[in-house]
Amino acid sequence: MDFGLSEEQEMIVNTVRAFVETEIYPHENEIERSGIVPPELGREIQRKCIELGFYACNFPEEFGGAGLDHLTFTLVERELGRGSLGLTVFFGRPSGILMACEGEQRERYLLPAVRGEKIDALAITEPDAGSDMRGMKCAARRDGGDFVLNGTKHFISHADVADFVIVFAATGEEETPKGIKKKITAFLVDRGTPGFEILKGYDSVSHRGYHNSTLSFEDCRIPEAQVLGEVHRGFDIANQWLYGTRLTVAATCVGRARRVFEMALPYAAERKQFGKPIGANQGVSFKLADMITEIDAADWLTLAAAWQVDAGRPADRQIASAKLYASEMLARVTDEAIQIYGGMGLMDDLPLARFWRDARVERIWDGTSEIQRHIISRDLLRPLGA
C-alpha cells in the first residue's frame, strides 16, 4: 500500500476543497437558519460541479463519469464532508446501485443521473424495518406484467429533490437456516407515478437543509421493466453496493472532523486565560493531541478500506471498522472542540454546535454502530466456527 497521494490525487483534493470553501461555505449559515436550500442555489452548485468535471465522478468513464477509483473517490467525499450536506448533495454522486441498470433502464435512469438531468434517492428504511432489512413490510405483488406496490418508507434522504427513487420491497418469502425471510426486489419508481407520494419527513437536529421524506405507496403499479436487477435478488444488490455509502460516511466524518480541528487548534494557541494561551495547559493540549490522533487514525482506516476494495480484496470488515470508528470519532472530536471553546462553542455565531448536532446521525444511518460491530465480530468469529 502506497501511503502517498499521486499528483493527480493531490490536485483533486485541492480542487474539491477549494470548491467547498468557495461554493458551499458562504451559504451554510443561511441554510442552517432556514433549513431550506433554494432550488436555484442547488441547480447552481450542480451546474458548477458539472463544469468542473466532477459530477458523477464515482461512475465509469464509459457512462460519462470521471471513472475515479474507490480510493480517489473517497478522497473526494472526505473533502465534501467539510461542507453542509444540504448543499454538497448537489455536487452529484448518483447511487452506485444504478450500475445494475440494464438495457432501456440505462437510457432512462443511469445516464440521465450521470449527466445531472435526474437525481435519484434510495428507499430502504421503514418505520418497522431499519437495520432489519428483511423485516420490511412494504410489499409488491405480481399482477400480469406489472407489480403493485403498497407500503411506507421513511427517513429517505433527499427524496424531496429526487426525480426517481430506488425502492426495495418484499416480493415473497423463503426458508433459511434462521427461519422464514422476506425475498426483496428493487424497483425504479418515477416521481409522479400514480399511487406514489413523497411526503414531508421529520424535522431533524442533524444536517438541516438535507431533508428526509416519507414515501407512500398505495396500489402503485410498476412495470416489470422497472425491476432493478433480478426479481427476489434485491438484497444481494443492496449488499453489493451499500459498502460505498458506508465508506462515504466514514470519509465525510473525517473531513468534518478536520474542519473542526482546524478551528480548535488556533483558538487554543490564541485564547488567553490566566496570562497564557489555554493550549499551554495540559487540560487543553492533551485534548488536541487525542483529537488529531483519532482523526488521523480514522483517515487511514478509511483510505485503507477503499484501497482494499480497489485491490479486489474482501473489505466488509475494513469498511465496517472505518464507518464505526470515524463516526464515533467525529462525535468525540466535536464535543472536545466545544469544550475548548467553552460557552462560545455552543453559540450560533460559530458552526461548532452545528457540527456537534450533525455528528449524531452518523452513528445511525447507513448501518448503526451496532450493525458495524456485528459485521466486524462475525468476520472474526465465523472462521473459527463460532
Side-chain angles (χ1 to χ4, degrees):
M1 180 177 180
D2 185 353
F3 285 87
L5 300 185
S6 67
E7 184 177 335
E8 180 184 9
Q9 288 171 329
E10 291 281 7
M11 181 271 293
I12 288 172
V13 167
N14 293 334
T15 300
V16 177
R17 183 176 300 180
F19 184 94
V20 172
E21 290 175 349
T22 58
E23 304 297 338
I24 304 299
Y25 284 6
H27 304 289
E28 288 182 332
N29 288 341
E30 178 58 24
I31 301 309
E32 180 70 7
R33 184 195 65 78
S34 68
I36 298 171
V37 177
E40 59 275 14
L41 175 58
R43 287 193 294 269
E44 181 69 4
I45 292 171
Q46 184 186 48
R47 181 186 65 78
K48 290 179 177 179
C49 177
I50 293 172
E51 289 180 353
L52 201 62
F54 276 94
Y55 203 87
C57 59
N58 55 321
F59 273 72
E61 292 183 56
E62 64 182 291
F63 296 118
L68 299 185
D69 57 32
H70 289 90
L71 177 56
T72 308
F73 179 61
T74 299
L75 293 170
V76 171
E77 292 285 20
R78 189 184 69 184
E79 298 310 311
L80 291 175
R82 291 172 170 266
S84 166
L85 189 55
L87 295 165
T88 58
V89 66
F90 294 99
F91 194 86
R93 291 92 76 209
S95 173
I97 205 167
L98 288 173
M99 288 296 295
C101 285
E102 295 288 348
E104 190 262 348
Q105 292 177 347
R106 294 188 173 186
E107 296 294 332
R108 188 172 172 183
Y109 297 104
L110 188 154
L111 295 179
V114 171
R115 292 192 294 259
E117 297 164 1
K118 289 184 178 181
I119 295 176
D120 66 285
L122 200 61
I124 296 177
T125 305
E126 298 179 8
D128 295 318
S131 298
D132 181 14
M133 181 177 173
R134 294 260 204 171
M136 65 176 56
K137 296 179 180 178
C138 189
R141 60 175 176 83
R142 277 191 182 274
D143 185 23
D146 300 335
F147 283 86
V148 178
L149 182 59
N150 284 280
T152 301
K153 299 287 184 182
H154 78 163
F155 296 155
I156 308 307
S157 299
H158 67 266
D160 56 322
V161 298
D163 298 285
F164 68 94
V165 181
I166 305 164
V167 181
F168 289 79
T171 49
E173 294 181 338
E174 63 181 337
E175 188 69 48
T176 74
K178 295 184 179 181
I180 295 176
K181 297 287 186 180
K182 302 280 182 66
K183 292 180 179 180
I184 307 299
T185 301
F187 298 92
L188 298 158
V189 186
D190 296 305
R191 174 188 286 271
T193 299
F196 171 35
E197 191 173 4
I198 301 176
L199 307 170
K200 182 182 182 299
Y202 310 94
D203 292 328
S204 173
V205 301
S206 298
H207 298 299
R208 291 175 181 168
Y210 184 74
H211 300 147
N212 67 85
S213 298
T214 297
L215 310 185
S216 174
F217 301 94
E218 186 173 350
D219 293 333
C220 178
R221 187 169 290 273
I222 307 165
E224 186 168 1
Q226 285 170 236
V227 170
L228 182 61
E230 299 178 30
V231 175
H232 302 324
R233 300 300 297 273
F235 190 75
D236 297 335
I237 292 176
N239 283 338
Q240 181 182 359
W241 293 105
L242 284 181
Y243 68 79
T245 66
R246 290 171 179 167
L247 267 177
T248 289
V249 171
T252 55
C253 285
V254 171
R256 201 166 303 127
R258 288 208 185 277
R259 182 177 175 186
V260 169
F261 184 80
E262 289 163 9
M263 293 180 63
L265 180 61
Y267 184 81
E270 297 163 5
R271 169 74 166 164
K272 291 185 177 181
Q273 291 286 281
F274 305 104
K276 62 180 180 180
I278 61 173
N281 300 305
Q282 287 185 349
V284 173
S285 64
F286 282 13
K287 289 184 188 298
L288 294 169
D290 288 342
M291 289 161 72
I292 195 60
T293 298
E294 289 202 56
I295 292 169
D296 285 344
D299 200 358
W300 287 114
L301 193 58
T302 301
L303 296 179
W307 178 84
Q308 286 273 110
V309 176
D310 283 331
R313 300 178 180 179
D316 285 355
R317 174 169 62 84
Q318 287 78 7
I319 292 169
S321 294
K323 199 273 185 185
L324 169 66
Y325 188 78
S327 61
E328 297 196 348
M329 171 277 297
L330 179 61
R332 292 188 290 268
V333 166
T334 53
D335 191 74
E336 291 287 41
I338 288 174
Q339 196 70 17
I340 290 171
Y341 268 82
M344 277 306 299
L346 290 170
M347 300 300 110
D348 286 339
D349 301 68
L350 298 173
L352 288 176
R354 165 163 64 90
F355 297 142
W356 185 50
R357 286 186 286 99
D358 289 350
R360 188 59 187 87
V361 74
E362 308 296 348
R363 288 178 275 163
I364 296 174
W365 61 12
D366 291 279
T368 62
S369 289
E370 290 73 22
I371 287 294
Q372 306 314 314
R373 287 185 169 94
H374 171 70
I375 293 170
I376 296 164
S377 59
R378 183 182 60 186
D379 185 79
L380 295 172
L381 290 167
R382 272 189 175 174
L384 303 177

